[in-house]
Amino acid sequence: MRIDIITVLPELLKSPFEASILKRAIEKNLVEVYFHNLRDYTDMSYKQVDDYQFGGGAGMVLMIEPIDKCITSLKAQRNYDEIIYMTPDGQTLDQKMSNRLSLKKNIIILCGHYKGVDQRVRDNYITKEVSIGDYVLSGGELGAAVLCDSIIRLLPGVLNNETSALTDTFQDGLLAPPVYTRPREYKGDIVPEILLSGNFPAIEEWRENKAYERTKALRPDLLED
Ligand code: ADE
């Protein structure tokens, strides 16, 4: 998979890709991630990429021309399955969306900034608008990092234990069951006996029950359908 991220703040975005699972995925060539600084696509003085909005109103708007130049040059090199715009009024990211996007070959992610982008970008270039939740961030960069993390960890070979993404919270529509590690007892608090029993079918059943109980208590909305 290849991900091209267009941003005015590449330095804000890079560090999540330089540690842990995402770093290893890139090193193992399981995913290619490229950052494109929008300021490299403007001919204006001071590398301007934003301007005041027509009709007045507070906040700057990212201009169409540098975005057009960047997207057009990327599209001339390969086909893209999705051109995603990160925005608080997009479709809310969930596990199903991440699963679907992890099957794509090439995607572009455009990070908004300031008041957002000229509407003509959204009308003419964007195929999907994604929000990471009902709150407003200063820009799309942190959202893009969240989206990429949730996709990349699903790519085959990225996690050491392939089954571990399958048992994630949400993957089967339920929250994950509780997990424990050593020591068996800490200040009188003991790990559930069943987990030490070696009876794997019984452990599996216990986990399923716990996942269901937890979902019912914490996220009953997930059980609705
Ligand atoms: N940009 C600003 N807020 C955002 C959000 N909640 N999700 C995605 N991109 C954003």
Side-chain angles (χ1 to χ4, degrees):
M1 179 178 208
R2 175 182 169 120
I3 305 176
D4 290 276
I5 308 177
I6 305 172
T7 168
V8 286
L9 285 173
E11 65 278 14
L12 182 61
L13 249 179
K14 283 185 177 162
S15 69
F17 298 88
E18 290 169 355
S20 189
I21 291 173
L22 301 194
K23 179 184 180 191
R24 275 204 307 276
I26 292 167
E27 283 172 354
K28 288 205 275 178
N29 286 322
L30 299 170
V31 63
E32 292 172 73
V33 181
Y34 297 94
F35 303 95
H36 305 277
N37 190 337
L38 204 53
R39 295 188 196 282
D40 295 337
Y41 295 85
T42 178
D43 300 325
M44 294 179 74
S45 52
Y46 304 106
K47 294 195 174 289
Q48 185 183 346
V49 290
D50 58 341
D51 212 335
Y52 295 101
Q53 49 180 310
F54 282 125
M60 304 293 274
V61 175
L62 289 176
M63 292 186 290
I64 190 168
E65 189 175 357
I67 297 172
D68 169 37
K69 281 187 178 158
C70 184
I71 292 180
T72 302
S73 91
L74 288 171
K75 283 171 75 175
Q77 295 165 63
R78 67 196 64 76
N79 289 324
Y80 284 91
D81 303 299
E82 257 349 320
I83 303 181
I84 296 169
Y85 174 51
M86 300 306 301
T87 175
D89 56 7
Q91 186 187 344
T92 309
L93 177 64
D94 61 11
Q95 192 62 42
K96 197 182 284 174
M97 193 196 292
S98 299
N99 289 346
R100 287 201 182 124
L101 288 172
S102 74
L103 302 174
K104 307 287 184 193
K105 191 157 177 275
N106 301 314
I107 62 175
I108 292 174
I109 302 177
L110 171 65
C111 302
H113 226 81
Y114 318 112
K115 269 284 163 210
V117 297
D118 188 306
Q119 181 60 37
R120 291 168 290 183
V121 171
R122 298 173 73 162
D123 294 343
N124 299 314
Y125 299 84
I126 299 301
T127 62
K128 190 173 188 65
E129 301 192 325
V130 177
S131 162
I132 63 160
D134 285 346
Y135 40 82
V136 179
L137 303 165
S138 310
E141 284 76 13
L142 298 179
V146 168
L147 176 62
C148 288
D149 186 302
S150 75
I151 293 172
I152 292 171
R153 62 195 303 287
L154 298 172
L155 299 177
V158 169
L159 296 182
N160 294 338
N161 177 356
E162 284 258 29
T163 63
S164 90
L166 297 176
T167 56
D168 281 346
T169 278
F170 299 123
Q171 206 53 272
D172 53 4
L174 296 177
L175 304 185
V179 292
Y180 298 85
T181 186
R182 287 189 289 184
R184 284 173 177 221
E185 190 225 300
Y186 187 68
K187 296 184 178 173
D189 199 352
I190 302 168
V191 170
E193 200 60 43
I194 180 87
L195 297 177
L196 311 172
S197 68
N199 182 345
F200 293 105
I203 291 174
E204 201 41 49
E205 194 183 333
W206 179 89
R207 286 186 172 142
E208 280 167 21
N209 289 337
K210 285 286 173 194
Y212 181 77
E213 273 172 31
R214 224 181 204 192
T215 309
K216 200 167 167 207
L218 301 174
R219 290 291 307 275
D221 56 299
L222 294 177
L223 298 173
E224 268 159 27
D225 38 66

mmCIF file of all heavy atoms in Angstrom, residues 72-115:
data_model
loop_
_atom_site.group_PDB
_atom_site.id
_atom_site.type_symbol
_atom_site.label_atom_id
_atom_site.label_comp_id
_atom_site.label_asym_id
_atom_site.label_seq_id
_atom_site.Cartn_x
_atom_site.Cartn_y
_atom_site.Cartn_z
ATOM 1 N N THR A 72 -2.698 16.729 -8.927
ATOM 2 C CA THR A 72 -2.564 16.415 -10.353
ATOM 3 C C THR A 72 -1.216 15.739 -10.625
ATOM 4 O O THR A 72 -1.138 14.776 -11.395
ATOM 5 C CB THR A 72 -2.718 17.700 -11.200
ATOM 6 O OG1 THR A 72 -3.998 18.263 -10.899
ATOM 7 C CG2 THR A 72 -2.640 17.404 -12.682
ATOM 8 N N SER A 73 -0.153 16.212 -9.971
ATOM 9 C CA SER A 73 1.150 15.586 -10.236
ATOM 10 C C SER A 73 1.191 14.160 -9.680
ATOM 11 O O SER A 73 1.766 13.269 -10.285
ATOM 12 C CB SER A 73 2.299 16.456 -9.718
ATOM 13 O OG SER A 73 2.626 16.121 -8.414
ATOM 14 N N LEU A 74 0.536 13.925 -8.548
ATOM 15 C CA LEU A 74 0.498 12.554 -8.008
ATOM 16 C C LEU A 74 -0.328 11.636 -8.916
ATOM 17 O O LEU A 74 0.083 10.510 -9.230
ATOM 18 C CB LEU A 74 -0.094 12.558 -6.594
ATOM 19 C CG LEU A 74 0.797 13.144 -5.502
ATOM 20 C CD1 LEU A 74 0.017 13.292 -4.191
ATOM 21 C CD2 LEU A 74 2.020 12.273 -5.285
ATOM 22 N N LYS A 75 -1.480 12.157 -9.377
ATOM 23 C CA LYS A 75 -2.356 11.325 -10.213
ATOM 24 C C LYS A 75 -1.739 11.011 -11.572
ATOM 25 O O LYS A 75 -2.094 10.022 -12.213
ATOM 26 C CB LYS A 75 -3.723 12.004 -10.391
ATOM 27 C CG LYS A 75 -4.610 11.858 -9.160
ATOM 28 C CD LYS A 75 -5.861 12.692 -9.222
ATOM 29 C CE LYS A 75 -6.907 12.145 -10.135
ATOM 30 N NZ LYS A 75 -8.163 12.950 -10.051
ATOM 31 N N ALA A 76 -0.810 11.868 -12.014
ATOM 32 C CA ALA A 76 -0.140 11.608 -13.294
ATOM 33 C C ALA A 76 0.821 10.416 -13.170
ATOM 34 O O ALA A 76 1.207 9.806 -14.167
ATOM 35 C CB ALA A 76 0.630 12.851 -13.733
ATOM 36 N N GLN A 77 1.195 10.088 -11.935
ATOM 37 C CA GLN A 77 2.182 9.023 -11.736
ATOM 38 C C GLN A 77 1.552 7.661 -11.457
ATOM 39 O O GLN A 77 2.183 6.626 -11.663
ATOM 40 C CB GLN A 77 3.114 9.400 -10.583
ATOM 41 C CG GLN A 77 3.970 10.633 -10.908
ATOM 42 C CD GLN A 77 4.614 11.211 -9.654
ATOM 43 O OE1 GLN A 77 5.404 10.547 -9.015
ATOM 44 N NE2 GLN A 77 4.254 12.437 -9.311
ATOM 45 N N ARG A 78 0.328 7.648 -10.922
ATOM 46 C CA ARG A 78 -0.322 6.365 -10.605
ATOM 47 C C ARG A 78 -1.812 6.618 -10.374
ATOM 48 O O ARG A 78 -2.216 7.766 -10.224
ATOM 49 C CB ARG A 78 0.314 5.701 -9.369
ATOM 50 C CG ARG A 78 0.099 6.427 -8.084
ATOM 51 C CD ARG A 78 1.037 5.959 -6.994
ATOM 52 N NE ARG A 78 2.436 6.251 -7.327
ATOM 53 C CZ ARG A 78 2.976 7.470 -7.231
ATOM 54 N NH1 ARG A 78 2.263 8.506 -6.824
ATOM 55 N NH2 ARG A 78 4.237 7.675 -7.553
ATOM 56 N N ASN A 79 -2.571 5.551 -10.333
ATOM 57 C CA ASN A 79 -3.993 5.688 -10.023
ATOM 58 C C ASN A 79 -4.192 5.661 -8.518
ATOM 59 O O ASN A 79 -3.509 4.922 -7.819
ATOM 60 C CB ASN A 79 -4.785 4.531 -10.633
ATOM 61 C CG ASN A 79 -4.859 4.657 -12.137
ATOM 62 O OD1 ASN A 79 -4.945 5.775 -12.658
ATOM 63 N ND2 ASN A 79 -4.797 3.537 -12.824
ATOM 64 N N TYR A 80 -5.135 6.451 -8.055
ATOM 65 C CA TYR A 80 -5.462 6.440 -6.625
ATOM 66 C C TYR A 80 -6.866 5.885 -6.415
ATOM 67 O O TYR A 80 -7.784 6.237 -7.150
ATOM 68 C CB TYR A 80 -5.326 7.852 -6.047
ATOM 69 C CG TYR A 80 -3.872 8.214 -5.843
ATOM 70 C CD1 TYR A 80 -3.150 8.853 -6.846
ATOM 71 C CD2 TYR A 80 -3.204 7.853 -4.681
ATOM 72 C CE1 TYR A 80 -1.800 9.145 -6.688
ATOM 73 C CE2 TYR A 80 -1.853 8.136 -4.508
ATOM 74 C CZ TYR A 80 -1.164 8.784 -5.512
ATOM 75 O OH TYR A 80 0.169 9.063 -5.356
ATOM 76 N N ASP A 81 -7.001 5.045 -5.399
ATOM 77 C CA ASP A 81 -8.306 4.455 -5.082
ATOM 78 C C ASP A 81 -9.184 5.433 -4.322
ATOM 79 O O ASP A 81 -10.406 5.374 -4.405
ATOM 80 C CB ASP A 81 -8.113 3.208 -4.208
ATOM 81 C CG ASP A 81 -7.222 2.203 -4.888
ATOM 82 O OD1 ASP A 81 -7.607 1.741 -5.970
ATOM 83 O OD2 ASP A 81 -6.132 1.913 -4.360
ATOM 84 N N GLU A 82 -8.544 6.274 -3.509
ATOM 85 C CA GLU A 82 -9.314 7.235 -2.702
ATOM 86 C C GLU A 82 -8.476 8.490 -2.513
ATOM 87 O O GLU A 82 -7.256 8.411 -2.327
ATOM 88 C CB GLU A 82 -9.512 6.663 -1.326
ATOM 89 C CG GLU A 82 -10.722 6.061 -0.782
ATOM 90 C CD GLU A 82 -12.074 6.064 -1.349
ATOM 91 O OE1 GLU A 82 -12.533 7.082 -1.910
ATOM 92 O OE2 GLU A 82 -12.728 5.035 -1.182
ATOM 93 N N ILE A 83 -9.148 9.647 -2.566
ATOM 94 C CA ILE A 83 -8.504 10.919 -2.195
ATOM 95 C C ILE A 83 -9.314 11.453 -1.015
ATOM 96 O O ILE A 83 -10.460 11.866 -1.161
ATOM 97 C CB ILE A 83 -8.476 11.913 -3.373
ATOM 98 C CG1 ILE A 83 -7.750 11.265 -4.562
ATOM 99 C CG2 ILE A 83 -7.786 13.213 -2.948
ATOM 100 C CD1 ILE A 83 -7.618 12.150 -5.786
ATOM 101 N N ILE A 84 -8.691 11.358 0.154
ATOM 102 C CA ILE A 84 -9.405 11.587 1.412
ATOM 103 C C ILE A 84 -9.094 12.987 1.926
ATOM 104 O O ILE A 84 -7.939 13.430 1.895
ATOM 105 C CB ILE A 84 -8.959 10.540 2.451
ATOM 106 C CG1 ILE A 84 -9.358 9.138 1.973
ATOM 107 C CG2 ILE A 84 -9.536 10.847 3.829
ATOM 108 C CD1 ILE A 84 -8.749 8.011 2.789
ATOM 109 N N TYR A 85 -10.113 13.671 2.406
ATOM 110 C CA TYR A 85 -9.927 14.978 3.051
ATOM 111 C C TYR A 85 -10.273 14.834 4.527
ATOM 112 O O TYR A 85 -11.365 14.363 4.874
ATOM 113 C CB TYR A 85 -10.833 16.008 2.371
ATOM 114 C CG TYR A 85 -10.840 17.356 3.040
ATOM 115 C CD1 TYR A 85 -9.651 18.021 3.345
ATOM 116 C CD2 TYR A 85 -12.047 17.985 3.371
ATOM 117 C CE1 TYR A 85 -9.658 19.256 3.961
ATOM 118 C CE2 TYR A 85 -12.059 19.227 3.981
ATOM 119 C CZ TYR A 85 -10.857 19.849 4.281
ATOM 120 O OH TYR A 85 -10.860 21.076 4.906
ATOM 121 N N MET A 86 -9.334 15.207 5.406
ATOM 122 C CA MET A 86 -9.570 15.134 6.847
ATOM 123 C C MET A 86 -10.323 16.391 7.280
ATOM 124 O O MET A 86 -9.820 17.506 7.101
ATOM 125 C CB MET A 86 -8.245 15.052 7.618
ATOM 126 C CG MET A 86 -7.369 13.860 7.279
ATOM 127 S SD MET A 86 -8.157 12.254 7.415
ATOM 128 C CE MET A 86 -8.643 12.231 9.132
ATOM 129 N N THR A 87 -11.494 16.204 7.857
ATOM 130 C CA THR A 87 -12.326 17.357 8.230
ATOM 131 C C THR A 87 -13.324 16.955 9.306
ATOM 132 O O THR A 87 -13.837 15.819 9.283
ATOM 133 C CB THR A 87 -13.072 17.898 6.985
ATOM 134 O OG1 THR A 87 -13.963 18.944 7.380
ATOM 135 C CG2 THR A 87 -13.874 16.818 6.264
ATOM 136 N N PRO A 88 -13.610 17.859 10.271
ATOM 137 C CA PRO A 88 -14.538 17.464 11.342
ATOM 138 C C PRO A 88 -15.952 17.200 10.837
ATOM 139 O O PRO A 88 -16.729 16.538 11.539
ATOM 140 C CB PRO A 88 -14.511 18.665 12.301
ATOM 141 C CG PRO A 88 -13.887 19.783 11.554
ATOM 142 C CD PRO A 88 -13.034 19.185 10.479
ATOM 143 N N ASP A 89 -16.312 17.670 9.632
ATOM 144 C CA ASP A 89 -17.666 17.367 9.141
ATOM 145 C C ASP A 89 -17.692 16.167 8.188
ATOM 146 O O ASP A 89 -18.679 15.947 7.489
ATOM 147 C CB ASP A 89 -18.344 18.610 8.519
ATOM 148 C CG ASP A 89 -17.527 19.237 7.405
ATOM 149 O OD1 ASP A 89 -16.502 18.653 7.008
ATOM 150 O OD2 ASP A 89 -17.919 20.325 6.932
ATOM 151 N N GLY A 90 -16.618 15.370 8.195
ATOM 152 C CA GLY A 90 -16.611 14.155 7.376
ATOM 153 C C GLY A 90 -17.288 12.987 8.068
ATOM 154 O O GLY A 90 -17.834 13.120 9.169
ATOM 155 N N GLN A 91 -17.232 11.820 7.407
ATOM 156 C CA GLN A 91 -17.800 10.583 7.984
ATOM 157 C C GLN A 91 -16.895 10.135 9.136
ATOM 158 O O GLN A 91 -15.668 10.122 8.991
ATOM 159 C CB GLN A 91 -17.811 9.520 6.885
ATOM 160 C CG GLN A 91 -18.487 8.226 7.267
ATOM 161 C CD GLN A 91 -18.306 7.156 6.184
ATOM 162 O OE1 GLN A 91 -17.945 7.446 5.050
ATOM 163 N NE2 GLN A 91 -18.543 5.925 6.566
ATOM 164 N N THR A 92 -17.493 9.793 10.258
ATOM 165 C CA THR A 92 -16.671 9.452 11.427
ATOM 166 C C THR A 92 -15.939 8.133 11.223
ATOM 167 O O THR A 92 -16.551 7.117 10.863
ATOM 168 C CB THR A 92 -17.557 9.375 12.694
ATOM 169 O OG1 THR A 92 -18.316 10.572 12.773
ATOM 170 C CG2 THR A 92 -16.703 9.241 13.951
ATOM 171 N N LEU A 93 -14.647 8.168 11.468
ATOM 172 C CA LEU A 93 -13.801 6.975 11.331
ATOM 173 C C LEU A 93 -14.247 5.888 12.297
ATOM 174 O O LEU A 93 -14.499 6.162 13.475
ATOM 175 C CB LEU A 93 -12.348 7.367 11.638
ATOM 176 C CG LEU A 93 -11.309 6.245 11.629
ATOM 177 C CD1 LEU A 93 -11.168 5.633 10.242
ATOM 178 C CD2 LEU A 93 -9.961 6.773 12.102
ATOM 179 N N ASP A 94 -14.367 4.660 11.805
ATOM 180 C CA ASP A 94 -14.590 3.519 12.687
ATOM 181 C C ASP A 94 -13.807 2.334 12.132
ATOM 182 O O ASP A 94 -13.168 2.438 11.082
ATOM 183 C CB ASP A 94 -16.081 3.202 12.871
ATOM 184 C CG ASP A 94 -16.769 2.847 11.566
ATOM 185 O OD1 ASP A 94 -16.079 2.641 10.544
ATOM 186 O OD2 ASP A 94 -18.006 2.769 11.555
ATOM 187 N N GLN A 95 -13.855 1.220 12.854
ATOM 188 C CA GLN A 95 -13.031 0.072 12.469
ATOM 189 C C GLN A 95 -13.394 -0.443 11.080
ATOM 190 O O GLN A 95 -12.524 -0.850 10.313
ATOM 191 C CB GLN A 95 -13.180 -1.038 13.515
ATOM 192 C CG GLN A 95 -12.167 -2.156 13.369
ATOM 193 C CD GLN A 95 -10.729 -1.678 13.554
ATOM 194 O OE1 GLN A 95 -10.449 -0.895 14.435
ATOM 195 N NE2 GLN A 95 -9.827 -2.135 12.700
ATOM 196 N N LYS A 96 -14.692 -0.387 10.754
ATOM 197 C CA LYS A 96 -15.128 -0.875 9.445
ATOM 198 C C LYS A 96 -14.468 -0.049 8.332
ATOM 199 O O LYS A 96 -13.991 -0.592 7.332
ATOM 200 C CB LYS A 96 -16.664 -0.769 9.362
ATOM 201 C CG LYS A 96 -17.262 -1.611 8.256
ATOM 202 C CD LYS A 96 -18.769 -1.441 8.165
ATOM 203 C CE LYS A 96 -19.513 -2.188 9.258
ATOM 204 N NZ LYS A 96 -20.963 -1.908 9.243
ATOM 205 N N MET A 97 -14.422 1.271 8.534
ATOM 206 C CA MET A 97 -13.804 2.126 7.521
ATOM 207 C C MET A 97 -12.305 1.811 7.411
ATOM 208 O O MET A 97 -11.756 1.717 6.312
ATOM 209 C CB MET A 97 -14.015 3.608 7.870
ATOM 210 C CG MET A 97 -13.681 4.526 6.707
ATOM 211 S SD MET A 97 -13.464 6.257 7.185
ATOM 212 C CE MET A 97 -15.082 6.751 7.653
ATOM 213 N N SER A 98 -11.638 1.629 8.537
ATOM 214 C CA SER A 98 -10.205 1.301 8.504
ATOM 215 C C SER A 98 -9.978 -0.025 7.781
ATOM 216 O O SER A 98 -9.056 -0.153 6.976
ATOM 217 C CB SER A 98 -9.632 1.225 9.913
ATOM 218 O OG SER A 98 -9.777 2.469 10.549
ATOM 219 N N ASN A 99 -10.825 -1.010 8.087
ATOM 220 C CA ASN A 99 -10.679 -2.316 7.419
ATOM 221 C C ASN A 99 -10.792 -2.157 5.913
ATOM 222 O O ASN A 99 -9.986 -2.694 5.155
ATOM 223 C CB ASN A 99 -11.773 -3.288 7.892
ATOM 224 C CG ASN A 99 -11.574 -3.756 9.318
ATOM 225 O OD1 ASN A 99 -10.508 -3.583 9.898
ATOM 226 N ND2 ASN A 99 -12.612 -4.325 9.906
ATOM 227 N N ARG A 100 -11.796 -1.391 5.478
ATOM 228 C CA ARG A 100 -12.004 -1.211 4.034
ATOM 229 C C ARG A 100 -10.820 -0.490 3.397
ATOM 230 O O ARG A 100 -10.338 -0.877 2.342
ATOM 231 C CB ARG A 100 -13.275 -0.408 3.771
ATOM 232 C CG ARG A 100 -14.515 -1.223 4.031
ATOM 233 C CD ARG A 100 -15.724 -0.642 3.296
ATOM 234 N NE ARG A 100 -16.880 -1.453 3.637
ATOM 235 C CZ ARG A 100 -18.002 -0.995 4.156
ATOM 236 N NH1 ARG A 100 -18.155 0.292 4.336
ATOM 237 N NH2 ARG A 100 -18.988 -1.808 4.459
ATOM 238 N N LEU A 101 -10.368 0.581 4.070
ATOM 239 C CA LEU A 101 -9.271 1.368 3.482
ATOM 240 C C LEU A 101 -7.970 0.565 3.448
ATOM 241 O O LEU A 101 -7.130 0.789 2.583
ATOM 242 C CB LEU A 101 -9.082 2.676 4.257
ATOM 243 C CG LEU A 101 -10.203 3.705 4.039
ATOM 244 C CD1 LEU A 101 -10.044 4.889 4.998
ATOM 245 C CD2 LEU A 101 -10.216 4.211 2.594
ATOM 246 N N SER A 102 -7.820 -0.395 4.381
ATOM 247 C CA SER A 102 -6.573 -1.180 4.407
ATOM 248 C C SER A 102 -6.459 -2.089 3.181
ATOM 249 O O SER A 102 -5.395 -2.621 2.909
ATOM 250 C CB SER A 102 -6.488 -2.004 5.698
ATOM 251 O OG SER A 102 -7.378 -3.105 5.638
ATOM 252 N N LEU A 103 -7.561 -2.257 2.439
ATOM 253 C CA LEU A 103 -7.529 -3.105 1.235
ATOM 254 C C LEU A 103 -7.151 -2.308 -0.016
ATOM 255 O O LEU A 103 -6.979 -2.873 -1.091
ATOM 256 C CB LEU A 103 -8.897 -3.767 1.020
ATOM 257 C CG LEU A 103 -9.382 -4.637 2.187
ATOM 258 C CD1 LEU A 103 -10.803 -5.125 1.939
ATOM 259 C CD2 LEU A 103 -8.450 -5.819 2.390
ATOM 260 N N LYS A 104 -7.038 -0.985 0.111
ATOM 261 C CA LYS A 104 -6.740 -0.139 -1.063
ATOM 262 C C LYS A 104 -5.253 -0.192 -1.387
ATOM 263 O O LYS A 104 -4.423 -0.488 -0.521
ATOM 264 C CB LYS A 104 -7.140 1.312 -0.797
ATOM 265 C CG LYS A 104 -8.573 1.494 -0.323
ATOM 266 C CD LYS A 104 -9.562 1.291 -1.429
ATOM 267 C CE LYS A 104 -10.987 1.563 -0.954
ATOM 268 N NZ LYS A 104 -11.986 1.080 -1.904
ATOM 269 N N LYS A 105 -4.947 0.156 -2.639
ATOM 270 C CA LYS A 105 -3.526 0.118 -3.055
ATOM 271 C C LYS A 105 -2.864 1.478 -2.850
ATOM 272 O O LYS A 105 -1.821 1.575 -2.230
ATOM 273 C CB LYS A 105 -3.475 -0.294 -4.525
ATOM 274 C CG LYS A 105 -2.109 -0.632 -5.028
ATOM 275 C CD LYS A 105 -2.183 -1.534 -6.260
ATOM 276 C CE LYS A 105 -0.800 -1.818 -6.801
ATOM 277 N NZ LYS A 105 -0.319 -0.777 -7.696
ATOM 278 N N ASN A 106 -3.485 2.530 -3.389
ATOM 279 C CA ASN A 106 -2.896 3.872 -3.278
ATOM 280 C C ASN A 106 -3.944 4.855 -2.771
ATOM 281 O O ASN A 106 -5.036 4.941 -3.343
ATOM 282 C CB ASN A 106 -2.434 4.379 -4.658
ATOM 283 C CG ASN A 106 -1.413 3.462 -5.290
ATOM 284 O OD1 ASN A 106 -0.469 3.029 -4.640
ATOM 285 N ND2 ASN A 106 -1.615 3.147 -6.556
ATOM 286 N N ILE A 107 -3.607 5.595 -1.724
ATOM 287 C CA ILE A 107 -4.528 6.639 -1.282
ATOM 288 C C ILE A 107 -3.775 7.954 -1.047
ATOM 289 O O ILE A 107 -2.580 7.957 -0.735
ATOM 290 C CB ILE A 107 -5.325 6.256 -0.007
ATOM 291 C CG1 ILE A 107 -4.414 6.012 1.196
ATOM 292 C CG2 ILE A 107 -6.193 5.047 -0.231
ATOM 293 C CD1 ILE A 107 -5.210 5.762 2.491
ATOM 294 N N ILE A 108 -4.505 9.038 -1.242
ATOM 295 C CA ILE A 108 -3.999 10.373 -0.903
ATOM 296 C C ILE A 108 -4.802 10.855 0.302
ATOM 297 O O ILE A 108 -6.023 10.638 0.358
ATOM 298 C CB ILE A 108 -4.211 11.360 -2.073
ATOM 299 C CG1 ILE A 108 -3.330 10.987 -3.271
ATOM 300 C CG2 ILE A 108 -3.919 12.802 -1.635
ATOM 301 C CD1 ILE A 108 -3.581 11.831 -4.522
ATOM 302 N N ILE A 109 -4.118 11.484 1.256
ATOM 303 C CA ILE A 109 -4.824 12.110 2.378
ATOM 304 C C ILE A 109 -4.469 13.593 2.381
ATOM 305 O O ILE A 109 -3.289 13.958 2.468
ATOM 306 C CB ILE A 109 -4.431 11.482 3.727
ATOM 307 C CG1 ILE A 109 -4.714 9.977 3.722
ATOM 308 C CG2 ILE A 109 -5.190 12.165 4.871
ATOM 309 C CD1 ILE A 109 -4.273 9.256 5.002
ATOM 310 N N LEU A 110 -5.477 14.430 2.266
ATOM 311 C CA LEU A 110 -5.278 15.888 2.305
ATOM 312 C C LEU A 110 -5.661 16.386 3.700
ATOM 313 O O LEU A 110 -6.763 16.123 4.179
ATOM 314 C CB LEU A 110 -6.158 16.551 1.235
ATOM 315 C CG LEU A 110 -6.241 18.079 1.273
ATOM 316 C CD1 LEU A 110 -4.881 18.716 0.970
ATOM 317 C CD2 LEU A 110 -7.286 18.578 0.263
ATOM 318 N N CYS A 111 -4.711 17.086 4.331
ATOM 319 C CA CYS A 111 -4.986 17.627 5.666
ATOM 320 C C CYS A 111 -5.468 19.064 5.526
ATOM 321 O O CYS A 111 -4.787 19.890 4.917
ATOM 322 C CB CYS A 111 -3.717 17.639 6.504
ATOM 323 S SG CYS A 111 -2.972 16.009 6.668
ATOM 324 N N GLY A 112 -6.614 19.354 6.102
ATOM 325 C CA GLY A 112 -7.106 20.726 6.103
ATOM 326 C C GLY A 112 -6.340 21.547 7.130
ATOM 327 O O GLY A 112 -5.639 21.002 7.985
ATOM 328 N N HIS A 113 -6.455 22.840 7.035
ATOM 329 C CA HIS A 113 -5.860 23.700 8.053
ATOM 330 C C HIS A 113 -6.639 24.995 8.093
ATOM 331 O O HIS A 113 -7.388 25.301 7.193
ATOM 332 C CB HIS A 113 -4.388 23.949 7.746
ATOM 333 C CG HIS A 113 -3.577 23.777 8.995
ATOM 334 N ND1 HIS A 113 -3.198 22.551 9.470
ATOM 335 C CD2 HIS A 113 -3.129 24.672 9.895
ATOM 336 C CE1 HIS A 113 -2.535 22.711 10.588
ATOM 337 N NE2 HIS A 113 -2.484 23.978 10.879
ATOM 338 N N TYR A 114 -6.460 25.768 9.144
ATOM 339 C CA TYR A 114 -7.184 27.028 9.301
ATOM 340 C C TYR A 114 -8.682 26.747 9.188
ATOM 341 O O TYR A 114 -9.178 25.825 9.807
ATOM 342 C CB TYR A 114 -6.691 28.064 8.291
ATOM 343 C CG TYR A 114 -5.193 28.070 8.148
ATOM 344 C CD1 TYR A 114 -4.575 27.657 6.986
ATOM 345 C CD2 TYR A 114 -4.391 28.430 9.236
ATOM 346 C CE1 TYR A 114 -3.193 27.622 6.871
ATOM 347 C CE2 TYR A 114 -3.005 28.393 9.133
ATOM 348 C CZ TYR A 114 -2.424 27.996 7.958
ATOM 349 O OH TYR A 114 -1.071 27.944 7.857
ATOM 350 N N LYS A 115 -9.394 27.485 8.329
ATOM 351 C CA LYS A 115 -10.846 27.287 8.192
ATOM 352 C C LYS A 115 -11.171 26.107 7.277
ATOM 353 O O LYS A 115 -12.338 25.795 7.062
ATOM 354 C CB LYS A 115 -11.482 28.556 7.607
ATOM 355 C CG LYS A 115 -11.933 29.537 8.650
ATOM 356 C CD LYS A 115 -13.229 29.089 9.332
ATOM 357 C CE LYS A 115 -13.431 29.842 10.617
ATOM 358 N NZ LYS A 115 -14.155 29.099 11.626
#
